[in-house]
Amino acid sequence: MRPAFGGPAIPVGVDVQVESLDSISEVDMDFTMTLYLRHYWKDERLAFPSTSNKSMTFDGRLVKKIWVPDVFFVHSKRSFTHDTTTDNIMLRVFPDGHVLYSMRITVTAMCNMDFSHFPLDSQTCSLELESYAYTDEDLMLYWKNGDESLKTDEKISLSQFLIQKFHTTSRLAFYSSTGWYNRLYINFTLRRHIFFFLLQTYFPATLMVMLSWVSFWIDCRAVPARVSLGIMTVLTMSTIITGVNASMPRVSYIKAVDIYLWVSFVFVFLSVLEYAAVNYLTTVQEWKERKLREKFPCVCGVLHSRTMMLDGSYSESEANSLAGYPRRHILTEEERQDRIVVHLALSNESSSSRKKGLLKGQMGLRIFQNTHAIDKYSRLIFPASYIFFNLIYWSVFS
């Protein structure tokens, strides 16, 4: 039975010293903390006269024989009191009836985390203490010294987080079936270290995107080189995305790292599609040229001849340059006239096609006819777009 039963609520002061913050789990959304939990109250039934000793100290065996506050951790998953080499429980009673009750506890509690800015995020977690049976009418739970009631070890550190702040709060919690209870909060804010993710995620993803741009400098006829490079970068990006998601909970919203990785994946994938377009247009262009040669087989002599005059005559210097050639390379007058006629016919046909608005006369489509120009523009557009994306990304999430 509590002290002063039937009277006003008994005040129970609490202070906490955090020994260590053992781990933070993003997958399970919890944290593990080891702490010293101390309670202070007055029980006049334990008062004793004393002239020499100011207090008497007992171990955990006496705790089962007297009244102690029934404080528990709200939203805790696991907790235990240390028992090496003996139960880590101490009870100190003062002559006027004041009692100090201390325990060393390790608790794993839930922490609701928001990963929308992961890994550029900050998380705020709370460890909540509350009386299990006594409402605020029977037990008044409070921080004994306000914010000074929470002490932390200066050596506390985490591999992935920077501990920014510890502070305490208190409020009333209501349960519809039992009533109002005093609840104490140990709040702490954690900011994630970004350097690990820069090395493991951001730098590899950026390098894969840059590696995919190397294909723009490779000859479009080198099909094995460009295809293998594109497939390698796509598969590597898929591996990076899978590795990041494997260490994260399956949340239903998009994380900051997802935006970066998937945009990088799109850039890599577009570089593969760019070569597919280049290869296709090159094939189409070669097919058209082959069909044209089949339709006018004699055009080649005119197109490759740089010495023929429209009147069918050669200059003296040109004749000397042809002196070493066999006679079969020199065309007769009749053959020359036939090729000139064909060449002029093709020129007239090409001019009429331009006037009709065919693709050969369009400036924008000349880029597609010259497949090397596509690679040339890709060398500028892809890096500029990716740099612009990085500027926006880091300005928004940093």
Side-chain angles (χ1 to χ4, degrees):
M1 184 178 298
R2 73 173 180 88
F5 177 77
I10 177 174
V12 176
V14 175
D15 69 35
V16 171
Q17 180 173 347
V18 179
E19 180 182 13
S20 65
L21 195 56
D22 301 325
S23 64
I24 307 291
S25 175
E26 292 89 354
V27 177
D28 298 326
M29 287 194 180
D30 60 26
F31 65 92
T32 301
M33 177 186 293
T34 299
L35 52 87
Y36 296 96
L37 178 61
R38 304 185 182 98
H39 308 76
Y40 302 86
W41 74 94
K42 184 177 182 180
D43 190 346
E44 296 181 353
R45 296 172 296 183
L46 300 178
F48 62 93
S50 176
T51 57
S52 57
N53 294 328
K54 293 184 178 180
S55 63
M56 292 189 296
T57 303
F58 305 93
D59 57 21
R61 290 174 293 179
L62 185 62
V63 173
K64 299 179 180 180
K65 299 180 180 180
I66 65 172
W67 181 88
V68 294
D70 57 344
V71 175
F72 77 105
F73 297 101
V74 184
H75 304 310
S76 66
K77 296 181 178 180
R78 297 174 298 276
S79 62
F80 62 91
T81 302
H82 290 260
D83 55 2
T84 306
T85 58
T86 183
D87 291 341
N88 295 175
I89 297 175
M90 184 269 288
L91 187 70
R92 183 171 294 170
V93 181
F94 294 86
D96 59 355
H98 282 87
V99 181
L100 166 61
Y101 175 43
S102 176
M103 297 180 293
R104 181 168 176 255
I105 302 173
T106 294
V107 56
T108 299
M110 182 180 66
C111 178
N112 292 322
M113 301 181 184
D114 181 15
F115 296 108
S116 58
H117 285 67
F118 176 89
L120 306 170
D121 58 331
S122 296
Q123 304 293 342
T124 299
C125 300
S126 299
L127 183 62
E128 305 171 14
L129 296 86
E130 183 181 305
S131 173
Y132 188 81
Y134 298 99
T135 65
D136 62 337
E137 297 178 354
D138 293 321
L139 189 147
M140 184 179 66
L141 205 62
Y142 68 98
W143 290 111
K144 187 175 185 297
N145 299 313
D147 288 337
E148 298 297 324
S149 300
L150 179 61
K151 304 291 183 180
T152 60
D153 193 330
E154 296 180 354
K155 298 181 180 180
I156 295 179
S157 63
L158 293 169
S159 59
Q160 290 192 29
F161 292 93
L162 173 65
I163 303 175
Q164 291 186 320
K165 184 180 180 182
F166 272 96
H167 65 282
T168 60
T169 56
S170 62
R171 65 188 66 176
L172 290 174
F174 177 73
Y175 297 90
S176 58
S177 57
T178 54
W180 293 89
Y181 294 81
N182 294 110
R183 182 177 294 182
L184 306 180
Y185 295 83
I186 302 173
N187 305 306
F188 55 95
T189 303
L190 305 171
R191 183 168 182 81
R192 197 181 304 274
H193 292 302
I194 186 61
F195 189 70
F196 171 81
F197 295 94
L198 287 176
L199 292 178
Q200 299 295 324
T201 303
Y202 287 98
F203 284 167
T206 303
L207 290 176
M208 286 301 104
V209 175
M210 296 174 65
L211 184 61
S212 68
W213 300 339
V214 175
S215 63
F216 302 150
W217 279 266
I218 301 177
D219 194 333
C220 62
R221 292 167 295 183
V223 177
R226 295 190 65 163
V227 170
S228 60
L229 181 61
I231 293 177
M232 183 194 69
T233 52
V234 168
L235 293 179
T236 303
M237 284 301 305
S238 301
T239 303
I240 294 174
I241 294 173
T242 303
V244 171
N245 291 330
S247 61
M248 295 295 299
R250 297 179 180 178
V251 294
S252 59
Y253 50 84
I254 299 177
K255 304 182 290 293
V257 69
D258 293 335
I259 296 176
Y260 192 90
L261 292 179
W262 279 105
V263 171
S264 300
F265 182 86
V266 169
F267 271 92
V268 172
F269 188 71
L270 287 178
S271 67
V272 179
L273 294 183
E274 187 269 351
Y275 175 63
V278 168
N279 188 58
Y280 173 75
L281 293 174
T282 303
T283 305
V284 171
Q285 183 177 357
E286 292 177 351
W287 179 80
K288 290 182 178 179
E289 292 177 355
R290 186 170 60 253
K291 295 293 288 184
L292 188 61
R293 286 195 300 268
E294 293 175 355
K295 184 176 181 181
F296 303 103
C298 60
V299 178
C300 301
V302 176
L303 295 180
H304 294 287
S305 176
R306 56 183 179 85
T307 60
M308 181 183 294
M309 306 297 292
L310 287 177
D311 57 358
S313 62
Y314 291 91
S315 63
E316 182 179 356
S317 60
E318 292 169 340
N320 293 332
S321 65
L322 294 175
Y325 285 82
R327 295 292 298 174
R328 57 188 176 89
H329 287 285
I330 301 177
L331 304 177
T332 64
E333 182 68 22
E334 184 179 355
E335 290 175 341
R336 286 199 300 268
Q337 293 296 333
D338 292 340
R339 293 196 177 190
I340 291 172
V341 171
V342 173
H343 178 63
L344 292 176
L346 288 175
S347 300
N348 293 333
E349 181 180 353
S350 177
S351 300
S352 62
S353 298
R354 292 192 190 97
K355 293 179 181 180
K356 293 178 182 179
L358 295 178
L359 295 179
K360 290 184 180 180
Q362 301 297 329
M363 184 62 185
L365 294 180
R366 288 180 183 175
I367 298 175
F368 296 100
Q369 292 178 355
N370 184 4
T371 54
H372 295 286
I374 299 179
D375 285 338
K376 178 181 178 181
Y377 285 102
S378 297
R379 296 168 194 168
L380 300 176
I381 295 174
F382 274 72
S385 302
Y386 195 67
I387 292 173
F388 181 70
F389 161 70
N390 273 272
L391 292 175
I392 295 178
Y393 178 86
W394 293 107
S395 63
V396 170
F397 292 105
S398 295

